[in-house]
Amino acid sequence: MQHFIIEHIHLLPDGNRESVKKNCYMEVRDGIITELEAMPVPNDKPYSIPRIEGRGRWVLPGMYNTHMHTPMTLLRGTADDVPLKHWLEKEIWPREAKLNRSMVQAGTDLALAEMIRSGTVAFLDMYHLHMDLVFERTHDSGMKAVLSRGMIGFGDRAAWPAKLNEAVELALSWNEEGQGRIKGMLFPHAPYTCPPEFMTQITAAARENNLMIGTHAAETAGEVQDYKERYGRTPAVHLDELGFYEQQAVLTHAVHVSEEETTLLKKKGAVISHNPMSNAKLGSGTAPVGRFLEAGIPVTLGTDSSASNNNLDMFQEMRMAALLQKGVQMDPGAVRAEDIFRMASFNGAKLLGVDKDGLLQPGGPADFIMLDGDQPHLQPDNRMASHVVYAASGQDVTDVFVDGKRLMKDRELITIDEERVLYNARYWHEKLEQR
Amino acid sequence: MQHFIIEHIHLLPDGNRESVKKNCYMEVRDGIITELEAMPVPNDKPYSIPRIEGRGRWVLPGMYNTHMHTPMTLLRGTADDVPLKHWLEKEIWPREAKLNRSMVQAGTDLALAEMIRSGTVAFLDMYHLHMDLVFERTHDSGMKAVLSRGMIGFGDRAAWPAKLNEAVELALSWNEEGQGRIKGMLFPHAPYTCPPEFMTQITAAARENNLMIGTHAAETAGEVQDYKERYGRTPAVHLDELGFYEQQAVLTHAVHVSEEETTLLKKKGAVISHNPMSNAKLGSGTAPVGRFLEAGIPVTLGTDSSASNNNLDMFQEMRMAALLQKGVQMDPGAVRAEDIFRMASFNGAKLLGVDKDGLLQPGGPADFIMLDGDQPHLQPDNRMASHVVYAASGQDVTDVFVDGKRLMKDRELITIDEERVLYNARYWHEKLEQR
């Protein structure tokens, strides 16, 4: 039976200055937060319950990364400063064509280690190669995730049923594994890579099997323009006709989305995965986050893969999300710290099915992280809520708990052999470059 | 006599992939790099020279932060997400009016600790209160800096001579202290806060005393518009008429600068201090960095104060500088990693008078930093030059050397009592908020 208390912590539940509570204790039992109070541990708590000293530590909900391609972490830094077409066709695809199972595993393990280190507790991922390995390694890491084998419908339509079948089978076979930590979903790569007929088959399969569905949409202006010329409507509108929004749907990127489409997305209950760093780095533009927020669409945050980010640090992603909106709109009030924090925490958690009511609450899952606040860049500390968004980075995280299980303790990974992961990443990356 | 060797290091001298050298050794004697070779330490080197083990460490030039207001670090997180006018008039100025010497010292010490921790070896700073303390604390920290007491010419013109005199005296009295580590300069706050007649007196004093000169210029569109309405020309053009560019001049922010002004600045040999995070956070806009680079103007990087950044991490500043240009211009090639690295290192070092020929070279000053490369977010490591700009953060820095003196050793500050600095920052910030 898991049972412990963390004491003397500062609590930042939701990014609001007013919600910060100093010198709290939290009791955890069997993966659930049972008590959370802004006071010392009461005298009648037996000392037989193990206590973790949390002095100087800030306790936050974990980060929820809603867009990832974990195996691509092996391709970090492969090519920068080049246009998307060159990046994909000359650098990324030729390497992906050579990826073997060991390489996919090395990239996945590297991503899992990096995510836990930087305070991510759950993520949403799609990849098209050896995705079974991503399910397995994620399960073993102790993280939470919603995963999917990506689908692309170029070429032979006779291959569609097998692709769809494989994706559905994989999603169902892992669904709710790890006491519900792992979930499956469907993720057709994009409207422009999955013809309407294929997309219709996929959305039907999502409904039939009650699986969440996601896709890359409106990442670049050119992609939307081409799509309109080909199909006479935008991807977001066409997806509606193809039944995409009938299950819980997530649109990734959504950089070039009009006001009318925003209204449609709100009506259909779609969620956005906003990827500001990747969109900026690839020169795709800046998503209209202010418009999404105004319409009441839940915006979540994703890093995209390390090949276009180039790390998986959700704290840096939060900061960039805020600064890009303010800078581009030339309006310091374009988004507020608490909006950004909500994107990276609660909105993501809700999309991933982790928690629907709120985070860091008695009765809820014991998914949380601890930061070392005793560092110069996080002082003076009575502005904690601001510092978490505008000054912190993932490397301030010292401890990570998922369902009450400690995945990192004082900056040491518990479920992952980090030395081996770093060695394998170097080894298989060199092999890849030699091929 | 200082004499040591660092061995087994990876060397990243200038941000170019091609310049990276693996498994090098570096010999340092009396503040100067005497040898630097991509090979193991030769057999004939006596073991009497102390050796530092550098396995897994990346050695880089230090970071050069060309715009700072160190004492304002005490105001980190005071107010976010509000317009500049509100931020200044309601939040910053009222607090600055209450700052006493202990508070200025607490903010300065906090900034110095944070800068060293995140790999900054030298900086340029201006502040108007108790600036003598900033000179003194910086000197004692072992960092390099070019410092100045800021001048504002609002109100009584009879006060100008005393202000100018105080700024000149302070600059001269500290100039070349610390074996040349500390230098003085003049920094009239801005053209819109220093009337032309006062500015003329200041530029004359700079010439007379051979001091570098700097000012905030063209930070916001509104400021440039108001200035034009008042004086019939833009600040950058008017500064020329007022003799500003006759000494080495640095323009801070330079967000709203036209093509004609760019040509003028190039002709006059002015240097830009680009502050992308502060400009974005305050909603001021994005400087035309591509235009500056095309014109051949040396662009340097600055964080501005933690009150509008909100940290002093030059690695995050590099990344933001790159991503903002790419995102806003929707061009992934808008700037390249090596351009950005050059801004943060060599261009800054040259402006601060540290090194005119290059960094990390035999015969040059032993100013350098070490990063811990054995971390998931910096692997696979044969893309080191990319990772430094696109994946690293200041917290990857483990060691800092200035003139061969170690200011941080394995993440422990040597010249600063960090525990005391953190305590004082909390204490004096609380006092400030109570006043």
Side-chain angles (χ1 to χ4, degrees):
Chain A
M1 194 187 76
Q2 178 200 71
H3 193 184
F4 60 89
I5 290 171
I6 307 184
E7 56 182 338
H8 308 128
I9 49 177
H10 298 330
L11 201 73
L12 292 89
D14 60 12
N16 279 299
R17 286 182 181 213
E18 292 71 26
S19 315
V20 172
K21 293 194 183 79
K22 289 196 167 186
N23 301 313
C24 308
Y25 82 92
M26 173 163 64
E27 187 170 348
V28 172
R29 191 191 281 249
D30 294 332
I32 303 294
I33 298 171
T34 52
E35 291 181 27
L36 191 52
E37 302 284 349
M39 57 183 279
V41 180
N43 285 331
D44 59 359
K45 283 279 170 202
Y47 273 97
S48 58
I49 307 170
R51 296 189 184 190
I52 296 172
E53 174 57 56
R55 211 176 291 272
R57 297 284 194 255
W58 305 354
V59 170
L60 280 63
M63 297 284 108
Y64 295 81
N65 187 345
T66 61
H67 192 59
M68 276 282 299
H69 308 287
T70 45
M72 293 179 77
T73 310
L74 199 67
L75 303 180
R76 190 199 317 277
T78 292
D80 308 303
D81 315 332
V82 293
L84 182 61
K85 193 175 151 71
H86 174 104
W87 182 78
L88 278 173
E89 295 177 5
K90 303 283 179 192
E91 305 284 353
I92 299 300
W93 289 343
R95 286 180 175 84
E96 287 192 322
K98 295 185 207 161
L99 286 179
N100 64 25
R101 282 183 75 81
S102 298
M103 292 166 184
V104 166
Q105 180 167 325
T108 301
D109 287 350
L110 188 63
L112 293 167
E114 184 185 351
M115 282 194 284
I116 296 173
R117 275 218 164 277
S118 53
T120 295
V121 294
F123 64 102
L124 189 152
D125 193 281
M126 80 79 108
Y127 202 58
H128 57 291
L129 298 170
H130 310 296
M131 192 66 198
D132 57 309
L133 269 176
V134 179
F135 275 95
E136 188 188 309
R137 306 305 288 180
T138 304
H139 173 271
D140 293 354
S141 75
M143 292 185 75
K144 295 186 176 180
V146 182
L147 307 172
S148 60
R149 193 210 182 284
M151 288 169 274
I152 287 187
F154 282 143
D156 187 11
R157 57 191 299 145
W160 292 351
K163 282 182 180 177
L164 176 53
N165 197 44
E166 194 190 329
V168 171
E169 286 298 309
L170 194 62
L172 293 179
S173 71
W174 279 95
N175 213 13
E176 302 301 332
E177 281 295 313
Q179 291 84 49
R181 277 191 296 110
I182 307 295
K183 293 185 177 71
M185 70 177 291
L186 296 184
F187 205 111
H189 172 269
Y192 69 90
T193 58
C194 294
E197 211 181 320
F198 188 31
M199 191 64 91
T200 305
Q201 293 172 15
I202 296 169
T203 64
R207 280 193 300 282
E208 197 177 314
N209 297 286
N210 195 25
L211 292 170
M212 185 159 81
I213 190 165
T215 194
H216 297 101
E219 180 172 4
T220 69
E223 162 210 327
V224 175
Q225 190 51 40
D226 290 351
Y227 197 93
K228 274 167 77 173
E229 278 167 23
R230 183 149 184 199
Y231 296 107
R233 38 210 172 306
T234 65
V237 168
H238 203 182
L239 283 173
D240 185 29
E241 299 168 25
L242 304 175
F244 189 81
Y245 305 117
E246 291 175 38
Q247 287 295 108
Q248 175 61 59
V250 54
L251 286 195
T252 299
H253 300 310
V255 178
H256 301 278
V257 170
S258 70
E259 280 193 41
E260 294 71 29
E261 290 171 302
T262 303
T263 307
L264 172 69
L265 294 175
K266 169 61 185 168
K267 196 177 132 202
K268 295 295 179 175
V271 172
I272 305 282
S273 174
H274 176 43
N275 301 179
M277 282 204 169
S278 176
N279 296 151
K281 186 150 187 289
L282 293 173
S284 307
T286 312
V289 170
R291 188 191 296 156
F292 297 150
L293 293 181
E294 222 165 86
I297 295 176
V299 177
T300 66
L301 272 190
T303 55
D304 207 347
S305 92
S306 308
S308 62
N309 186 301
N310 294 352
N311 67 31
L312 307 175
D313 182 340
M314 287 286 287
F315 287 88
Q316 290 194 38
E317 202 73 32
M318 281 201 285
R319 197 176 180 203
M320 185 72 180
L323 296 191
L324 260 176
Q325 292 297 320
K326 294 165 190 286
V328 168
Q329 296 181 38
M330 296 181 70
D331 171 11
V335 284
R336 295 169 309 163
E338 61 251 49
D339 298 330
I340 296 288
F341 189 82
R342 191 178 171 85
M343 293 179 198
S345 57
F346 179 68
N347 287 358
K350 199 169 167 187
L351 177 68
L352 300 185
V354 170
D355 209 325
K356 288 189 168 112
D357 306 315
L359 300 176
L360 274 190
Q361 291 179 346
D367 301 336
F368 59 91
I369 60 179
M370 293 165 76
L371 266 66
D372 176 10
D374 281 343
Q375 301 182 87
H377 70 286
L378 300 178
Q379 295 292 336
D381 70 358
N382 58 354
R383 304 294 187 190
M384 278 182 274
S386 164
H387 301 342
V388 163
V389 173
Y390 292 123
S393 86
Q395 287 159 286
D396 299 324
V397 177
T398 60
D399 293 82
V400 174
F401 291 80
V402 172
D403 282 342
K405 184 175 175 183
R406 209 167 185 175
L407 307 188
M408 183 163 72
K409 179 183 175 181
D410 294 330
R411 293 199 165 91
E412 287 286 331
L413 296 179
I414 307 291
T415 55
I416 289 176
D417 180 347
E418 189 173 26
E419 209 174 311
R420 189 183 187 131
V421 167
L422 297 181
Y423 176 85
N424 283 341
R426 279 190 283 263
Y427 179 84
W428 287 110
H429 184 262
E430 262 174 46
K431 288 278 177 216
L432 174 65
E433 294 298 314
Q434 286 161 9
R435 281 184 139 192
Chain B
M1 196 189 74
Q2 178 200 71
H3 193 184
F4 60 88
I5 288 170
I6 307 184
E7 57 182 338
H8 308 129
I9 50 178
H10 299 330
L11 201 73
L12 293 91
D14 60 14
N16 280 298
R17 286 182 180 212
E18 291 70 27
S19 315
V20 172
K21 292 195 183 76
K22 289 197 167 184
N23 301 315
C24 307
Y25 81 92
M26 172 162 63
E27 187 170 348
V28 173
R29 192 191 279 247
D30 294 332
I32 303 294
I33 297 171
T34 53
E35 291 180 26
L36 191 52
E37 302 284 347
M39 57 183 278
V41 180
N43 285 331
D44 59 357
K45 283 282 173 201
Y47 274 97
S48 57
I49 307 170
R51 296 188 185 190
I52 296 172
E53 175 58 58
R55 211 176 291 272
R57 296 285 194 255
W58 305 354
V59 171
L60 277 64
M63 296 284 108
Y64 295 80
N65 187 344
T66 62
H67 192 59
M68 277 282 299
H69 309 288
T70 44
M72 292 179 78
T73 310
L74 198 68
L75 303 179
R76 189 197 321 276
T78 292
D80 307 302
D81 315 331
V82 293
L84 182 62
K85 193 176 152 73
H86 175 104
W87 182 77
L88 279 172
E89 295 176 6
K90 303 282 180 196
E91 305 284 353
I92 300 300
W93 289 343
R95 284 179 175 84
E96 287 192 321
K98 296 185 208 160
L99 286 179
N100 64 25
R101 282 184 73 81
S102 297
M103 292 166 184
V104 166
Q105 179 168 324
T108 301
D109 287 350
L110 188 63
L112 293 167
E114 183 184 352
M115 282 194 282
I116 296 173
R117 274 216 165 279
S118 53
T120 296
V121 294
F123 64 102
L124 188 153
D125 193 283
M126 80 81 109
Y127 203 58
H128 57 292
L129 298 169
H130 310 297
M131 191 66 198
D132 56 309
L133 270 175
V134 179
F135 274 95
E136 188 188 310
R137 306 304 289 179
T138 303
H139 173 272
D140 293 354
S141 75
M143 292 185 76
K144 295 186 175 179
V146 183
L147 307 172
S148 60
R149 192 208 181 286
M151 288 169 276
I152 287 187
F154 283 143
D156 187 11
R157 56 191 297 142
W160 293 352
K163 282 182 181 176
L164 176 54
N165 198 44
E166 196 192 325
V168 171
E169 286 296 310
L170 193 62
L172 293 179
S173 71
W174 277 96
N175 214 15
E176 301 302 333
E177 282 294 314
Q179 292 83 50
R181 278 191 295 109
I182 307 295
K183 293 185 177 71
M185 70 177 291
L186 296 184
F187 205 111
H189 172 269
Y192 69 92
T193 58
C194 295
E197 211 181 320
F198 188 30
M199 191 64 90
T200 304
Q201 292 171 16
I202 297 168
T203 65
R207 281 193 299 283
E208 197 177 314
N209 297 287
N210 194 28
L211 292 169
M212 186 160 81
I213 191 165
T215 196
H216 297 100
E219 181 173 1
T220 69
E223 163 210 328
V224 174
Q225 189 54 38
D226 290 351
Y227 197 93
K228 273 166 79 174
E229 280 168 22
R230 183 150 181 201
Y231 296 109
R233 37 206 169 311
T234 64
V237 167
H238 203 181
L239 283 172
D240 185 30
E241 299 167 24
L242 304 175
F244 190 81
Y245 306 117
E246 290 175 38
Q247 287 295 109
Q248 176 60 58
V250 54
L251 287 194
T252 299
H253 301 308
V255 177
H256 302 278
V257 170
S258 70
E259 279 193 43
E260 295 71 29
E261 289 170 303
T262 303
T263 307
L264 171 70
L265 293 175
K266 168 60 185 169
K267 197 176 132 203
K268 294 295 180 175
V271 172
I272 304 282
S273 175
H274 176 44
N275 301 178
M277 283 205 169
S278 176
N279 296 151
K281 185 152 189 289
L282 293 173
S284 307
T286 313
V289 171
R291 187 191 296 155
F292 296 151
L293 293 180
E294 221 165 87
I297 295 176
V299 177
T300 66
L301 272 190
T303 55
D304 207 347
S305 93
S306 309
S308 62
N309 186 299
N310 294 348
N311 68 30
L312 307 175
D313 181 340
M314 286 287 286
F315 286 88
Q316 290 194 38
E317 201 73 33
M318 281 201 286
R319 195 175 181 205
M320 185 72 179
L323 296 191
L324 260 177
Q325 291 297 320
K326 294 167 190 287
V328 169
Q329 296 181 38
M330 296 180 68
D331 172 10
V335 285
R336 295 169 309 163
E338 61 250 47
D339 297 331
I340 296 289
F341 190 82
R342 192 179 172 85
M343 292 179 198
S345 57
F346 179 68
N347 287 358
K350 200 170 168 188
L351 177 67
L352 300 185
V354 171
D355 209 323
K356 290 190 169 111
D357 306 315
L359 300 175
L360 274 190
Q361 291 179 347
D367 300 337
F368 60 91
I369 61 179
M370 293 165 74
L371 267 66
D372 177 9
D374 281 342
Q375 299 182 86
H377 69 288
L378 299 179
Q379 295 293 333
D381 70 357
N382 59 353
R383 305 295 187 186
M384 278 183 271
S386 164
H387 301 343
V388 163
V389 173
Y390 293 121
S393 86
Q395 285 159 285
D396 299 324
V397 177
T398 60
D399 293 84
V400 174
F401 291 80
V402 173
D403 283 343
K405 184 176 175 181
R406 208 168 185 174
L407 306 188
M408 183 163 71
K409 179 184 176 181
D410 294 329
R411 293 199 165 92
E412 286 285 331
L413 296 179
I414 307 292
T415 55
I416 289 176
D417 180 347
E418 190 172 27
E419 206 173 315
R420 188 181 190 136
V421 167
L422 297 180
Y423 176 85
N424 282 341
R426 280 190 283 262
Y427 180 84
W428 286 110
H429 184 262
E430 262 174 46
K431 288 280 177 213
L432 174 65
E433 293 299 313
Q434 286 161 9
R435 282 186 136 192

